Amino acid sequence: MSTATVIKRCSEVDVFRVVRMPRIHYHPCPQALGEYNHLTDTIILHEGLKKYRELHDAILRHEQEHARIFREHSGWLKRLVLNVKLDYETRLTGATKVPRKLLRELDPSTLWDDVYTALYILAYIPILVAEGVYYTVKGFLDSE
C-alpha cells in the first residue's frame, strides 16, 4: 500500500474530529438539580451534588445527552420531542432519581412546588401519546 493511499484513507475517516462539550457551571440553587442551557451551551448543576458523586455523574450524563440532541438536530419540533422523550425515559428508569431526603436537603420546597412538578410531569403525556400515534400510523402507511 502506497503512502498516498494511506493518506487518502486517513482523510476519509475524520480522525481529528473534535466534539465541543458544554461548559459545566455549578450554582448553589438552580431551579432544578441539573439543567442544560442551549443558548449559552452550559450545563448548570447544583453545587451540593458534588458530595454525591454517583448522582452527580448520572445527572451530568443526562444533561450531556440534552446537549447532544441540540447539536445533532436543528428542527425545534424534533428537539422538543427528543428532549421530552429523554426526560420521560429517564424518569421511568430512575437513572437520575434523587431520594426525597436528599432533595429536601439540596432544594427545600413547598407543597405548591410539588404540585407544580406533578403537573409538569403530566404535561409530557399528551406529547408522548401524539408521538406514539404518529409513528404507529406512519408505520402502517410505510408497510403497505
Side-chain angles (χ1 to χ4, degrees):
M1 192 181 309
S2 70
T3 307
T5 308
V6 172
I7 291 172
K8 184 178 179 188
R9 285 195 180 162
C10 286
S11 65
E12 289 172 2
V13 179
D14 196 1
V15 178
F16 298 105
R17 183 173 166 218
V18 177
V19 176
R20 195 175 56 130
M21 290 298 292
R23 293 179 300 122
I24 300 172
H25 176 67
Y26 291 94
H27 194 275
C29 52
Q31 279 184 313
L33 296 178
E35 56 191 59
Y36 172 65
N37 183 334
H38 71 279
L39 299 174
T40 60
D41 195 32
T42 304
I43 292 175
I44 303 167
L45 293 179
H46 194 296
E47 191 173 30
L49 286 174
K50 288 180 181 178
K51 295 187 293 188
Y52 307 96
R53 198 77 207 153
E54 189 176 312
L55 183 60
H56 172 277
D57 293 345
I59 292 174
L60 180 60
R61 279 191 303 275
H62 175 77
E63 297 306 330
Q64 285 172 336
E65 187 64 19
H66 279 300
R68 185 193 63 74
I69 288 169
F70 270 90
R71 288 203 184 90
E72 292 180 5
H73 304 284
S74 58
W76 68 271
L77 187 58
K78 185 153 188 155
R79 282 179 176 173
L80 174 67
V81 169
L82 290 173
N83 280 308
V84 168
K85 184 177 175 186
L86 173 65
D87 284 341
Y88 193 72
E89 288 171 352
T90 303
R91 287 184 192 281
L92 284 179
T93 61
T96 58
K97 184 169 174 47
V98 181
R100 191 61 121 179
K101 185 177 178 183
L102 176 59
L103 186 61
R104 293 279 183 233
E105 175 191 327
L106 296 175
D107 189 27
S109 63
T110 64
L111 174 63
W112 289 113
D113 294 334
D114 293 339
V115 169
Y116 175 80
T117 302
L119 293 174
Y120 182 79
I121 292 169
L122 289 174
Y124 282 126
I125 294 173
I127 295 172
L128 292 172
V129 169
E131 180 188 33
V133 169
Y134 170 77
Y135 285 114
T136 303
V137 170
K138 184 177 179 184
F140 285 137
L141 294 176
D142 289 344
S143 66
E144 292 178 357

